[in-house]
């Protein structure tokens, strides 16, 4: 049909600034949410009128408010701008942290954690990243954001016990409030201002697409998976710190978490390469879920043994890191390009619902059946997931590829769509004139990206 200007490789200055400043926001916020995980169950034993169920609610309640508000916050930012919503969300997060830090009862901490989750800015960050990036470079920026989340989670597992020994859990909450205020400074002075903000179907949820996304069995299977993964994580941390406390002095817990996190992150890399580069996603994925079952059973059977607990945690986090990396990759492979943002929105909400359910259900099991019952619950949830995941088929190894195509009428869009579909390595192509974007699913091992970029029209 026509050939536009090709695109330079790599990120430009604005994209780099956006990627790293928004990654810093994610990093600070994830630290604030997760640093209490390895220490809160121990701290909460000293609070008045505490029960394991209330401890579980305190840990997981942020997931409920986050799940309810993250998509509406993203949509609100389409109307009034990204930065005002980001700043408001960080202020709410800071207030929630201060409430939790000041609380003298478990109920005050539950309220504070609920407010922390109400500062639901994840979808807004993704939308702003899309505003500040060219279509062909967007996946690279999203990958940088994803890496920052993984690093923040690993860091929080190590930093939580260290900070607890220095400033205590209330001090961690106060530090979280300070980090949120630091995030506001980053938004105001470091994050670039977009020239315009609009809906990006590849990065944001679109209300009219929820029905189609929720009717896709393979996507629902993945939504169930991420929900179960975070149910298991939250429930496990209601029991693991208490079991570890009986084996190791509390101020030495860091020396359990630090090597486990480093080794688990290194151990999962070969499996990710095998799944993605060697295209063995299904067996690697199924193996990861099975490893969760094994790790939970190991902690159930040997929670009075330090070696058993350390080995169980190492297997658990190797599987967790592997599944946390492969699940969004599977969503991206399965969801049509023009519905990827909606699919990821539902997926993220499922993750946060899982954190809430893990806290509530794990707390109930801990109340009724103790530490043993909590570990057994984690094993049972993972076993159910294994049965659900077993029916998955080997995915098509397709990647999303976006091309800006400029202003087209319906006939031109139809012709371009047909032309793109005929290119070698292009499995799907949808051109949406109002978006001025072509949404493609491509096999990166076959497609000629220079040919694709030749269709790009900037401006």
């Amino acid at each position: 049909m026509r050939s536009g200007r090709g695109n330079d490789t790599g990120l430009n200055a604005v994209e780099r600034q956006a990627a790293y400043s928004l990654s810093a926001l994610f990093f600070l916020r994830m630290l604030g949410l997760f640093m209490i995980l390895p220490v809160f169950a121990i701290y909460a034993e000293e609070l008045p009128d505490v029960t394991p169920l209330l401890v579980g609610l305190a840990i997981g309640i942020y997931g409920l408010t986050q799940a309810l508000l993250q998509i509406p916050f993203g949509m609100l930012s389409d109307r009034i701008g990204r930065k005002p919503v980001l700043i408001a969300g960080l202020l709410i997060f800071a207030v929630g942290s201060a409430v939790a830090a000041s609380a003298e009862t478990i109920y005050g901490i539950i309220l504070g954690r609920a407010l922390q989750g109400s500062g639901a800015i994840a979808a807004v960050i993704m939308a702003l990243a899309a505003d500040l990036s060219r279509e062909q470079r967007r996946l690279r920026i999203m990958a940088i954001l994803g890496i920052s989340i993984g690093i923040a989670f690993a860091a929080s597992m190590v930093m939580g016990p260290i900070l607890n020994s220095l400033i205590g859990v209330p001090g961690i909450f106060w530090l979280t409030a300070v980090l949120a205020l630091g995030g506001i400074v980053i938004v105001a002075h470091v994050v670039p201002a977009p020239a315009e903000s609009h809906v990006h179907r590849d990065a944001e949820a679109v209300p009219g697409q929820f029905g189609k996304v929720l009717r896709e069995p393979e996507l629902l299977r993945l939504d169930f998976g991420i929900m179960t993964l975070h149910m298991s994580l939250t429930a496990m941390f209601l029991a693991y710190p208490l079991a570890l406390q009986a084996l190791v002095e509390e101020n030495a817990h860091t020396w359990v978490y630090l090597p486990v996190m480093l080794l688990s992150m290194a151990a999962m890399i070969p499996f990710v390469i095998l799944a993605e580069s060697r295209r063995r996603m299904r067996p690697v994925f199924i193996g990861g879920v099975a490893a969760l079952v094994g790790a939970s059973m190991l902690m159930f059977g040997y929670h009075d043994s330090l070696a058993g607990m350390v080995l169980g945690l190492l297997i658990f986090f190797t599987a967790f890191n592997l599944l946390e990396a492969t699940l969004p990759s599977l969503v991206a492979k399965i969801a049509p390009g023009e519905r990827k943002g909606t699919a990821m929105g539902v997926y993220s909400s499922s993750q946060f619902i899982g954190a809430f359910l893990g806290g509530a259900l794990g707390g109930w099991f801990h109340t009724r059946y103790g530490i043993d019952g909590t570990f057994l619950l984690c094993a049972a949830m993972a076993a159910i997931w294994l049965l659900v995941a077993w029916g998955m088929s080997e995915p098509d190894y397709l990647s999303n590829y976006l091309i800006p195509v400029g202003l087209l009428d319906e006939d031109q869009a139809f012709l371009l769509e047909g032309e793109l579909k005929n290119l070698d390595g292009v499995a799907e192509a949808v051109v949406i004139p109002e978006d001025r974007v072509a949404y493609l699913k491509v096999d990166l091992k076959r497609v000629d990206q220079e040919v694709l970029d030749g269709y790009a029209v900037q401006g």
Side-chain angles (χ1 to χ4, degrees), residues 12 16 20 26 38 75 83 88 98 102 122 135 166 186 197 216 232 247 254 276 310 341 350 442:
N12 60 34
R16 284 194 298 272
Y20 296 122
F26 257 136
M75 293 176 179
K83 287 196 173 187
S102 305
E135 286 82 356
L166 296 174
I186 292 173
S197 295
E216 174 51 59
S232 298
L247 303 169
T254 294
E276 295 285 0
V310 172
S350 301
V442 304

Side-chain angles (χ1 to χ4, degrees), residues 18-31 86-87 90 121 125 128 145 148-149 152 179-180 182-188 191:
Y20 296 122
S21 59
L22 293 175
S23 292
L25 280 184
F26 257 136
F27 183 85
L28 295 177
R29 191 169 181 279
M30 291 299 106
L31 276 182
L86 282 179
I87 291 171
L90 288 166
I121 59 172
I125 292 176
L128 182 52
L145 296 180
S148 74
I149 295 171
L179 293 177
I184 292 174
V185 175
I186 292 173
V187 172
V191 176

Side-chain angles (χ1 to χ4, degrees), residues 100-141:
S102 305
E104 297 181 355
T105 68
I106 189 68
Y107 299 103
I109 294 174
I110 290 171
L111 174 61
R113 289 284 283 177
L115 285 170
Q116 280 187 324
S118 299
I121 59 172
V124 185
I125 292 176
M126 292 297 189
L128 182 52
D131 287 339
L132 295 169
S133 60
R134 293 165 294 169
E135 286 82 356
Q136 300 97 313
R137 304 296 168 249
R138 194 165 296 156
L139 287 179
R140 191 171 303 179
I141 291 180

Side-chain angles (χ1 to χ4, degrees), residues 140-214:
R140 191 171 303 179
I141 291 180
M142 297 302 179
I144 293 172
L145 296 180
I147 290 169
S148 74
I149 295 171
I151 293 173
F153 178 78
S156 68
M157 294 297 101
V158 177
M159 291 174 62
I162 294 174
L163 290 171
N164 183 49
S165 66
L166 296 174
I167 58 177
V169 169
I172 292 175
F173 280 126
W174 281 121
L175 177 60
T176 297
V178 172
L179 293 177
L181 295 177
I184 292 174
V185 175
I186 292 173
V187 172
H189 299 291
V190 182
V191 176
E196 63 172 348
S197 295
H198 60 272
V199 176
H200 304 271
R201 295 171 190 263
D202 61 305
E204 298 178 67
V206 178
Q209 295 179 340
F210 283 121
K212 292 179 179 179
V213 166
L214 293 172

Side-chain angles (χ1 to χ4, degrees), residues 410-442:
E410 292 289 343
D411 291 336
Q412 290 172 320
F414 178 78
L415 291 173
L416 178 58
E417 192 174 287
E419 189 171 338
L420 290 169
K421 286 178 179 177
N422 287 328
L423 295 177
D424 185 45
V426 176
E428 301 174 18
V430 175
V431 179
I432 299 182
E434 58 266 32
D435 292 1
R436 303 186 183 186
V437 172
Y439 300 89
L440 278 61
K441 303 285 279 190
V442 304

